Each structure stands twice: as C-alpha cells, then as structure tokens.
C-alpha cells in the first residue's frame, strides 16, 4: 500500500498551467501532486562563446529551489555563494533532455534558457522540471514562430517527458512522492521522447543492489507514465492554439 | 494620467493569499497588481550566535527574484555566486521592518526567517514583501500559539505594512508600478505600523532633488495607502481564524 | 546632555583636508570629530559596458573600512571574500548622492570612482564620505578642467553634502557620534544640495516608531547642518584656487 | 572497426598498481589504457556532523583532474574557485558506488575519503575511479584490520566495479576510449557488485534516443566487462596478502 | 644618480608616528618618503584552533592597499572577492618577521593581529610594514604591560626591522623607491633583528641573474639601513614612555 | 646525523622522467627521494591581455598538491574554493624562476603554462618543481622547434634549477627532506642558472635568527647541489635527442 493510496502504476494528479509568467516568452507551472515547479523559457539573441559563428543555437536549463520548498528550510544557494552538486546535476540533466528533441541548427544562433524553480517540493522535482520545461520551451518556440523567427515544427523534433520509478517496500511503483522516495530501495529516473525513444536513464540502488529484472519492470512503468505525460503535454499545447 | 489609468492615490489590486505553501509554518502569496511575491515564515529552534543565552529570539528576512521575474532575464544569483547589493539592501530592510513590531523577548530563543521570493515583478517588490511577509509572520506565530509555544498577541505588537510613492510626470502618485518607477523623478518607500508610527522612510531623487513640500505629499499618500493595506492584512488574518 | 557635551544642533569639529593623496586626481581627508574618511577620486578613460557609445560618463563610489577603524577589530572584507550588505548599501548611497549633482553628459565618456576608506570610525561614516567625496570629486574635475578635458562648472551642477540626525534620549540631535548612534531611538541620514533640494532621506526607527512631527524636526536640524557643511566645502575649494 | 582495433567486447589493458602512495592508508594507481587515475583512501577519526553519535561511519569520494590530463589544458579548478558540475557529479557517483558495498555500522564512527585524481585522461575516468577506488578502500580496511580497528570482511560486503559502454558507429561496444566517447551516439555507465547486482546505471543519448533493446545489449556487455574487472581486483588484493 | 638624488646608501626620510589610531591597543603610521603605511595592533583573547590549550599565543599580520594608494587605481580586493597572491605573500612575511622576536609562550593564549594598510605607496611597502608593525606591536605589549597582562620585556625579545636594496643602473642602492624598484635589475628585501641576526632574506633577479658578490654588497647596505631603522624605533618607543 | 643518513652535502636520489604525459607538449616527473612532482608544459597561442600586440610571450606556472600527497590529508583547494597563500607564493616563484632563463621576445606571442602537481610530498616540493619544470619547458620548446615555431636555443638562454638548504641540529645541510624541514632552525631556497648566476634567494629563520656566515655556508652547499642538478637536467635532455 502506497502512503498516498495510489495504485502501483498511478501518477499523481498532474497539471500543466501555461502562460503563468507575464514576462517570459514561454512558461508553465507544472504540478505533480504537491510538487510544483515554475518553468520559464527565455530567449536571448546570443550564444555561448564556443558556438559563435556556428549557425547553431543552444538550449540550456537552470534549476533552483525556494528555501522553504521543502519540509525543513534549506540554505539559500545565493546566500551560500554556490550551487550544490545536486543542483548542478539536475540542471545538466534537464538541459540535456530538452536538447535531445531540439534541432539546434534550425533554432539558429540564439539561446533559450529554461529556468525551473521549485516552488514546493514533494519528490520528483527533476522529472517535473523536464516535463514542464518542455511545455515552456514549446511555447517559446511558438512565440518565435508567430514572429517568423523560426519554424517551430522544425526546431522541436518530438516531445520529451520524464518520470521517476522505484522499488518501494519490495514493489515497483510509478512516480515516487517524497515519503516513498526517502524510503525506496531503488530509485530511477527515465527521460523518453514521444516516439518512445530513451533519452536518459539514471538508476541508483539506495540500499541493496537491484537486478536486471527489477530494472526492466521500472522501465515498463516509466514507459506507461511517460506516455500519459506526453498526452497531457499535447493537450496543454493544443489548448493554447 | 498614469499608464495604468489609476487615480493618483489608488493602489493596484492587492491580494494576500494565505497558506500558499504546504511546508512553511506561515506563508502568503502577496500580489500588488502584476507584482507577485511568495513569503514564507520558517521557524527554527536556534538563534544567531550573538543571541545565545540572551533569552531573546530573532526575526530575519531573505529576498530573491526568480531569474525571469523581470522583463529581461537576470542572472541567477546562486550561479553568479553572490547576492547583489540591491538584494542585500532589500532583505535588510524587510528584516528591520518586521522586527519593528516584534517583541523579541516574548518570542524566546528562536529564529523566524521570512523568505520573500519574487515570482513576478512589476515594481514595488520590497514593499509587497514587507506587507505579505507580515502576514506570513503572523501565521507562523499563530501556528506557534496553537502549540502553546508563545502568546502571539504578546510577540506581535502591531501591524506593519509598506508602500512606495513617487513623483511621476510632476505629480505625486501612490504605489508605483514598473513603468512609473523607471520614469519617476523621485521614488520613496514608506514603512508604517497599524498605529500610524513611521518605521522606515527611504526617499531618493532620481533626477532633480525634491522639496520638503513634495516629500510631505508623498508621506500623506503613503499613510493613506498603508492604512488600506493594514485593513487588508486584518481581513486576511481574521478570515484565517 | 549629549555625551560629547555638544548642543543639540551642534556639528562635531569638521575639517576637509584636500590633496591628501599624491596619486589621485582629487582627494580629501574628511574629519567629523573622530570619524576620519579618506576620499580619493580616480579618473579612468572608460565607462561601464551599458554606457559605451552613449556619450555619457559615470560617477561611482566604493566604500571600505580598515579592520581596526572600530572599537573591536572587524574581519577584513578582502579576507572574508565579500563585501557586507552594509558596505554595499553605503557605497550605492554615496554614488547616487554624488551623481545627483553631476551632469553625466557634460562629463563625457569617462568614469570617476570615488573611494571612501574609513581610517577611523566614530559614527556618521557614510555622511562624512558623501561630504568629503564631493570635495575629492570637485578637485578631480578641476584637474580635468586644467587639462581642458571638461568644463568643471558644467559638470558639477551644485554642492552635495550629508548629515545624520537622530532622537537621542527623547531629543532630536544633529550629527550623531557612535555613543549616540548606538543608543538612538531613531536614526536618519539626509543628503541635500547647496540649493537646499533633498537628494536622499533615510530614516529608521531603531526602537519605537517615530511620528511625522519628530521626523520634521530632524529634517530641520539636517538642513541647518548641511548648510554649514556646504559652507565649509566652499571654503575648502576656494582655498584651493 | 574501433579506432583502437579492439573487439567490440574487449576492455583496454587494465592494471591496478597497489601501494602507489607512501602516505595513504590505501592507494591504487588504476590504468584503463591511457586513462590513469590515482586513488588514495584516507582514514580520519571523525564523521560528518549529521552522523555524530550515530555509531555509523562514512565513505566519501573526491575527484579531480590535473589541468593537462587532457588534450587541451583545462583551467585548474582551485584557480577558478569552484568545482565544475561534472566534477561534482562524478564524485557523488563514486561515493555512492563505494558505499553500496560498505557496512557503515561495521566501520564505526570514522570517515574514509577516497580521492580519485586523474593523472592522464582518455575516456572512462569515472569508471576507472570506481574500480581503482575500490582497491584503495579495500587496502585501507586491511590496514585497519591489521590494527584491529575493524573486521574488514564485515565492513566490505562485496566487490564493486564500473565500466562504460556505448553505441559507436551503430555498434554496441565495451569500455569507450576518448575518440569513441566523443563520437558515440549513446553513452552509458554501469556500476555492479561482484555478485552481479546493479548499483547504478546512467545511460544518455548524445544524439538519437536509444531503444530498450540497444540498452539491454549495453547492459550485457557491461556485465561481462565488470566480471573481468572484479577478477582483476581479486587478483590484485590477493597478491597483497 | 638616483631619481631622488639620494646617496646610494641613504634612506628616505623615515618617520614613525605612534598612537595614530584612537581604538587600537597599539598603532603607528610609518612613512618611508612617500610610502605611508598605517599599522595597528589588535589584541584578542583567543587563539587559532591549533593553539588551543597550548599555553602559547599568536602574532599574525594582514596587509592591504587602498585602491588609489598607487599611480593607477587598483581593483579593491574586497570587491574582487579575494586577496592577490602578492597580498598573501606580504602578509605572511610580515607575520613571520614579527613572530621572530616574540616569545609566544610569554604572550600567553592571546592573539595580536597587526594590520598594515598602505595609505600611499611609493615602493617598499612591505619593509615599511614590518618596521612600523614592530612599533605598533611594542605599543600593544606596553598597553598589556600597564594592565599587568604580560611582561612586555619577556614577550618582545628584540627589535626587528626591514629594508629593501637593489641594483639600480648597475649600482647597489639602499631603500628603493617606486621609480627605482620598477627599473632595478635585482631587488632584495632583508629583515634583521636589533642584534644583527638575519630573520629573512628575499632576493630576486628581475633581469640578469646576480652574483654572490653583488648580493653581499646589498646585504651590507641593508645592515646599515636596518641599524638606522632600529635606532629610530628605539627613539620612537622611548619617547612614548 | 641526518635522519636519512645522507652526508650533509648529499642530495636525495634525483630522477627526471621525461615524456610522462601523453598529451602535454613537454612533461617531466621529477623525483627528489620521496618527493614526486609531475610537471607539464602546455602551449597556448594566446597571451595575457597586457601582452597583446607586444610581440612578447609569457611563461607562467601553477602549483597544486594532491590531497593525500602529505602525511595527513589536506583539504582539496578546488573544494575549499581558493588557493592558499602558500600555493600562490610557490607558483609565483616557479614562474619567476623559469622566466629568468627565457627570452620572451624570442618566444613570440604565445603562453607556456608549466603545471607542477605534487603527487607525493617529502619536503622540497617547490625546488623540485623548478628543477623538473625546466625540463618540461625545454621539451615543450623542442617540440615547438621541431615544428619550426621557434628556435629553442634562442628562447632558452640557460638552465635553471633549485634546491633547499637549512641548518639542522646546528649543521648546514643540503636538500632538506620533510623530517629535517620541520625541525630546521633556518630554511633557505636557492634558484640558480647553469652559469652560476643567482635568480632567487629565500632564507627564513624558523627559530633563532641566522648569521651572515651561516647563510654563506648554505649558499655554498646550494651551489654544489644546483651544479649537480643542472648536470642531470643536461643528461635527461640529451638522452631525449
């Protein structure tokens, strides 16, 4: 029995609230249950130094957490003067995941920065960030399309979404919330495209090592969950048109 | 004529949404028009070193802005490795303002940190932070009162709220939004208590120096605005009981 | 009775020692009693990035304190690796105050940095820094005038000086020294021009909030004090010619 | 055909040179072809604050690269003032991997820090670090066993080793060197125990997303490679006795 | 012919102005010509962690330069967020030099920090800092002696002073000023005690390497100069009694 | 009797292993007994800003120590976020020493960075770094000569090597190892050229000040030791051709 009483293969209630920010070219407040992440996509007419005169653009991500997004207040990273290893790991993952479905050539020499700021955390912030960040990115590209800067359909090759799975009390379950996450023996994050291709897999044994068989069960759960998430992304984006 | 078509002494629509955060002991999403600040109050059973064994507690504030809270994306302070002078100035002001109505002795040896994070900015973020931070603080104290940790009525001696005023196109106006703020000749922030006492005044001539007479007009406007804000704080807090 | 036995409206002995530094284009060691601040104005033929090709120059200020300028040794900011919020707040104030009387267009694309380093502190270092920084700036402009780089009279539109006032043991007093400052109920800094215009007002209730009436008494005291300081600036600068 | 002419399932020549350092309690210079990593295990009689009085110890890892370990000189992290996201990601992975086979209770309240410093890099530094770090850790525990501080057999529950695999020119291959790594479509790191349990999986599509089938082929290759590495660890450690 | 027209073995006019600071336990403004360094000695009733419960005290030094102490304005170290290698090298040298004549056991578990802040620079700031820092330290110990905290005569075993020499246009000269220093082929700093013992020698060939013979000539000059400096220290300190 | 049983004027076994690194243009693993330093010379086609368009090149050095190069593990400088004063002092010394024998004009507008990383420490790391760094630099220049970029014989004007001496138990001895270094009364580092010119002298009294006579004995020992080191450099470099 899961603490939230969900079925083993049941996502938390997910919502994708577009145009949350007045200023950003694209934005989405994504909610996976009590995990709320504000994703904004910001367009800049410049690229990192190593891409100058390459004709290619760049998509990058940054991640942050409000100090009291969590049960205990965490020290503000701006005050401590550096981003934690965890923060850097997550923002690298989000950036890689989004770039996996972007044609940087078709984007042209511009940078889109997707900021993912956790307003409230209850496990799964990085997978929510990828899933919602995709919507913000899509909206930013639509905004550019309306201004004839790019052809959004060429830049964005597919959907990308992410979900965590884990082995909780011996059972493979989908979309861990914080109480499950902190007790799980194994915790894995999956990033997949709309076409079902795998972009990133990260599986970690917190306690006992896991077997190939267990891992494949998590992968199956993830596939199902990501399928649902991609459907919600589609709905949210179509609603926008 | 103000860009927002407001009367010279008219506040923007203000809302104080309590219990916005699931984790914090007190929280309030405050909106002054398009300026949205999430304020959380976090209780910790420790005090800064210089207060140990003093029997007194501490109330402090931190301030941050999401990178795309503004029209152009700003660099994330956690990434640049330090808080700007502006950030530090604001968080010092918010802390001082809240402490002005707190009896630190009655609080006992505990610290409450009020985090004010700007989700979206359109001028007046620091005054919104003080006004909303007060509500978060009051809720945190109510939470403590329910647990018989303190007598909230003794700790919180009065209300405190804040508003900006300025001279825009030669006219004194109340509650500057960003288009006004960036064009104002003079810009002043006022922090006052429910009883009408002045806690803090900060007036700055952006262009031509201002006269005593002009300043007194701003002070009158501020008094009116703060009166209204204190009324809204009262309403929000009573609604909670 | 004030600890220094001064009358309530009496400044400390003030001196403005010009040409203190052999290297700087302008310099002034300003003394307000035991508060000694060395102000140097340094000319550089470059402007901040956002002013390039604007035809406008910039005046900025930096502030520092020698570690043992105070009763207890403070940690050296260069050693701790960052400037405190207080330091940043003060240097922003000094820069704004000086710019209030400078025509940046007439200065041309150059930057003048006014460094204010506290050699010894006894309260009122920021107001001394503004008052002495003005003299250093005026001397730097005179130096430029002698080299036909600018017309100093066009660049420097007026005088600017600053003083603190406060309510000490219930009485409004002028020019707080450290013993008064640390005991004052209300502490306010005023920056005004030679023509009597107000450039900046910062008033803070350290304990009980203050009333409008009290505040106006402080403003009157400040006006008188700044009048005297501007007279001393005039004398010091004329003596130089 | 691989650039190194190795078979698709062939490891580079691997060596594990124990007792490389005169000072460390355990040390191993591990070579995977031209990738050379010096691993030292340092024992300290203290634990992180959150483990004090828990009766449990801690194993952690740090990772670094000499500036010219790579084809182009990289900036020294000590000079740039911070560790890159990549460095932090790797050292977190190495630490987690080693802890997966350690009984922290049996270790007692002590910390072992495994430093992995890349002397020369040619791809696969993180997997070499885990594989060699295990030997340094085992030697450190043997050192402690000789002094009757712990029972090494109880502390170290199993072997742990790691290897990278990838899809290079459409073919799954084992143990990527740098030329393969920089051209691979998919890159995955596997960490497994001597008993065959999976500790960590990290798979990333650099270009086209990969399929489940491809992923399982990489997992098979990894299992074979890690089997061989564990054999070499056994040999190296036995040789020591 | 030296730019300053001094004889080859002639010091610049040196003055040691004691009690320059109102707050510090000991202080001295030392002038070597146009090089002016403010030295303060601050007593603290604590020692670095590694000396706790050792019964021994510590003497340390810090060094700084005001931004416009030099011909061109230098960036403020507090603003750049770190002390330069040069600054650290100098403050280590000053600390070592002063400790060479202090009996740390006789000092007891206390720390004296000698801050050396360059108000104006014209070459030889580090040697001026040692020479003036000694006077500040002696005054601090006298202050402690008056309060029966230590026996100053036991703590301070001897005098210590320092001077630079160099080969300028082929000639060995004493006490380089900035124009000489920047043109010298060889530059050496000597620290010696009142009894003539050598505490520190630092000789550097800026251009052509130097010979042993040349070096011995510099050493002779230094001995003469330090003799004179020790005489001035004696005079300054006796004048104080 | 020295702890290592060496004669008072006997070097430790010294070896200079060239081409240690596969990537660097020049490299040398230098061993002075148990002190092992890896020196790499990296060529870059750029110079520091202040040398642009000067026609001159630059040679600089960086220094680091692996955390467990020493008896007790030291904190990693990359983790603590800054290089210690000692590190900076050493890398400045190594850079100055190497530049003393380089014709920067003949090098042309390029920079060679010599990284000296201490793999294992037993005293004398800075002198080993200079001695081995010279070999790496010579190899880098030979590499450039083979590509007709420079005439190595014109760029490298002479040899340079370094050694420490000290007064240990009252006796002047050559090439201090760690047990001697930590007990020595006086410790001096000498840098000399192949022609016998002195490039740098650094002598420090750790306890009692030393006399001129003692110092000259150390200088004699150093001359002998450096003579031997230069011979070994010659041999190593010739062996390479």
């Amino acid at each position: 029995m899961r603490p939230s009483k969900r079925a083993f293969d049941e996502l938390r209630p997910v919502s994708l609230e577009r145009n949350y920010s007045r200023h950003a070219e694209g934005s989405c407040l994504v909610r996976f249950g009590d995990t709320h992440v504000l994703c904004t996509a910001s367009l800049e007419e410049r690229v990192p130094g190593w891409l100058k005169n390459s004709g290619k653009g760049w998509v990058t991500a940054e991640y942050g957490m409000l100090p009291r997004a969590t049960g205990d207040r965490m020290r503000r990273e701006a005050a401590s003067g550096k981003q934690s290893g965890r923060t850097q790991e997550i923002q690298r993952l989000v950036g890689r995941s989004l770039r996996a479905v972007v044609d940087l050539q078709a984007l042209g020499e511009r940078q889109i920065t997707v900021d993912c700021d956790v307003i409230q955390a209850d496990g799964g912030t990085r997978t929510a960030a990828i899933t919602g960040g995709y919507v913000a990115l899509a909206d930013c590209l639509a905004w550019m399309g309306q201004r004839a800067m790019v052809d959004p359909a060429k830049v964005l090759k597919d959907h990308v979404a992410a979900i965590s799975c884990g082995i909780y009390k011996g059972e493979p379950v989908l979309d861990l919330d914080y109480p499950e996450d902190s007790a799980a023996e194994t915790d894995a994050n999956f990033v997949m495209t709309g076409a079902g291709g795998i972009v990133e897999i990260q599986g970690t044994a917190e306690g006992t090592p896991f077997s190939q068989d267990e891992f494949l069960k998590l992968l199956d759960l993830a596939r199902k969950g990501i399928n649902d998430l991609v459907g919600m992304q589609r709905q949210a984006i179509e609603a926008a048109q």
Side-chain angles (χ1 to χ4, degrees), chain A:
Chain A
M1 177 68 97
R2 305 178 71 175
S4 60
K5 312 206 189 296
R6 283 184 281 148
F8 75 98
D9 62 350
E10 189 184 345
L11 289 173
R12 289 175 282 181
V14 172
S15 69
L16 295 159
E17 183 177 345
R18 294 172 56 255
N19 298 321
Y20 190 83
S21 155
R22 181 188 160 186
H23 300 299
E25 285 74 29
S27 64
C28 175
L29 178 68
V30 56
R31 293 189 188 84
F32 278 39
D34 280 328
T35 289
H36 303 172
V37 184
L38 173 53
C39 306
T40 58
S42 297
L43 173 67
E44 288 166 297
E45 290 290 335
R46 54 173 198 79
V47 284
W50 48 276
L51 278 178
K52 270 187 192 147
N53 305 318
S54 69
K56 287 169 110 171
W58 193 241
V59 172
T60 187
E62 294 198 7
Y63 174 92
M65 245 194 196
L66 298 196
R68 195 59 196 279
T70 45
D72 292 313
R73 184 178 184 272
M74 296 175 312
R75 195 165 175 213
R76 191 177 286 268
E77 290 189 330
S80 68
K82 63 175 186 174
Q83 295 179 301
S84 71
R86 179 184 171 277
T87 290
Q88 294 195 54
E89 207 167 302
I90 293 176
Q91 63 193 10
R92 283 156 56 91
L93 170 65
V94 176
R96 274 200 313 272
S97 298
L98 295 176
R99 282 193 300 275
V101 293
V102 171
D103 181 332
L104 297 172
Q105 196 77 45
L107 175 57
E109 278 199 35
R110 299 171 177 109
Q111 174 165 301
I112 299 175
T113 302
V114 178
D115 285 288
C116 303
D117 284 275
V118 180
I119 305 295
Q120 191 173 275
D122 186 37
T125 63
R126 78 187 71 188
T127 51
I130 293 167
T131 305
Y134 174 83
V135 176
L137 176 61
D139 273 6
C140 177
L141 290 166
W143 184 96
M144 293 168 74
Q146 284 155 14
R147 283 152 188 79
M149 298 167 78
V150 294
D151 176 349
K154 282 200 181 139
V155 181
L156 210 51
K157 301 180 291 185
D158 196 350
H159 278 251
V160 69
I163 198 68
S164 76
C165 300
I167 300 177
Y168 174 72
K169 300 202 174 172
E171 289 299 318
V173 295
L174 178 67
D175 187 19
L176 305 174
D177 54 27
Y178 182 75
E180 290 172 332
D181 190 30
S182 45
E185 292 107 64
T186 289
D187 176 14
N189 293 297
F190 298 88
V191 185
M192 299 191 200
T193 63
I198 306 173
V199 169
E200 185 105 13
I201 290 180
Q202 294 186 338
T204 303
E206 301 292 340
T208 328
F210 53 91
S211 69
Q212 179 162 334
D213 195 52
E214 288 173 316
F215 185 71
L216 290 177
K217 280 183 190 150
L218 298 183
L219 183 49
D220 277 351
L221 280 176
R223 193 173 295 283
K224 178 185 172 303
I226 285 175
N227 238 23
D228 292 352
L229 292 172
V230 167
M232 292 183 227
Q233 287 178 338
R234 284 216 173 86
Q235 223 170 353
I237 289 171
E238 275 157 23
Q241 288 162 343

